[in-house]
Amino acid sequence: MTAIHITDIEAAINHWRQRAPACDRMGLAPPVQALAEVYARMVFRREEAVEDGALPPEALAAWLAWYDTTPDTPCIAICSTSQGDDLCKGCGRTFDEVQFWPAFSPAEKRAVWRRITLEHSAWRFNRYAERAAEGPAPAPPAPADAA
């Protein structure tokens, strides 16, 4: 199991608050309610993270729906691990993190995102920040049939 940091719970709550604001009776939307309960327990217990397997199903579903709106990979298409670096200068991930990224769970991916964001040393955060903000390059057009 991998832990989900409280900042990701907060981000998911804020995402859902924008998508499903409180109704006239001041009730919270179900995804917000599910995540808020987890968040409140974490704050009360002074926990920085919660195991993804410990989330109630409704909270996990709300968190995963938020996760699906985030960029999947920190890659900015400048990979120095392919040149032999243990830590990619472009995105900040280790060689193993780059290699096994497709097999990582959403919580594992968010843990890597958190680490590289806190380290703030990869090129995605300085030299090529505008490239990272643009997102992935569009796919090339499909070749026309030669018929």
Side-chain angles (χ1 to χ4, degrees):
M1 296 286 172
T2 304
I4 298 172
H5 197 268
I6 195 168
T7 56
D8 276 356
I9 300 292
E10 290 171 345
I13 289 170
N14 290 331
H15 165 80
W16 283 108
R17 286 181 60 216
Q18 287 181 338
R19 295 202 64 212
C23 64
D24 293 338
R25 296 182 182 180
M26 302 304 284
L28 297 175
V32 177
Q33 180 69 39
L35 290 164
E37 288 175 9
V38 171
Y39 182 81
R41 273 189 245 110
M42 291 175 75
V43 169
F44 181 76
R45 296 176 184 155
R46 293 185 167 95
E47 297 172 336
E48 289 188 7
V50 61
E51 293 293 324
D52 58 345
L55 288 176
E58 301 82 15
L60 181 59
W63 185 83
L64 287 171
W66 163 78
Y67 169 81
D68 287 341
T69 68
T70 64
D72 179 59
T73 177
C75 182
I76 60 167
I78 301 175
C79 190
S80 68
T81 59
S82 62
Q83 305 301 316
D85 287 346
D86 290 331
L87 191 68
C88 180
K89 291 176 182 140
C91 70
R93 293 178 293 170
T94 66
F95 177 79
D96 285 344
E97 289 167 346
V98 171
Q99 184 178 10
F100 298 114
W101 190 260
F104 281 8
S105 72
E108 290 170 322
K109 289 179 180 181
R110 289 303 303 165
V112 172
W113 268 102
R114 177 168 168 68
R115 179 186 55 76
I116 66 170
T117 302
L118 289 173
E119 289 172 356
H120 208 70
S121 60
W123 290 349
R124 82 170 345 270
F125 298 110
N126 47 46
R127 282 189 197 178
Y128 297 98
E130 71 283 349
R131 181 183 226 177
E134 290 172 5
D145 288 338

